[in-house]
Amino acid sequence: KNHQRQAEGIKAAKEKGIEFGRPKLRKPENYEEVMRRVNSHEISTVEAMKLLGVKKTSFYKLKKLYPVE
């Protein structure tokens, strides 16, 4: 009985455009500039993580999602 009501609520929320689950990782504003500096060996990846304000896993996920050459 409760599952049916819950399913109805979820369906209604999705129709309104509400997203479920963990929030998506957002690309920092200074990402391109920092990654350009990393690629030119001007700064280390650890320094880049500090500048971007992300942890190691997030850094490498961003690097994979948004490659900069």
Side-chain angles (χ1 to χ4, degrees):
K1 191 173 183 178
N2 288 335
H3 291 288
Q4 181 183 359
R5 183 159 168 76
Q6 184 178 13
E8 290 168 4
I10 290 170
K11 183 180 176 188
K14 284 187 177 184
E15 286 173 1
K16 288 182 184 177
I18 293 174
E19 293 183 16
F20 289 84
R22 186 177 178 91
K24 302 282 185 257
L25 180 63
R26 293 193 181 156
K27 185 167 74 168
E29 288 184 27
N30 59 341
Y31 177 77
E32 279 84 7
E33 191 233 330
V34 170
M35 290 309 292
R36 182 187 52 73
R37 291 174 67 191
V38 170
N39 292 340
S40 66
H41 304 288
E42 196 176 315
I43 61 173
S44 69
T45 53
V46 175
E47 290 175 85
M49 291 174 210
K50 289 177 185 172
L51 287 171
L52 294 171
V54 297
K55 295 189 189 257
K56 185 162 59 170
T57 53
S58 299
F59 175 80
Y60 287 108
K61 188 184 289 185
L62 282 168
K63 190 174 177 183
K64 187 177 178 180
L65 286 173
Y66 307 106
V68 174
E69 295 186 25

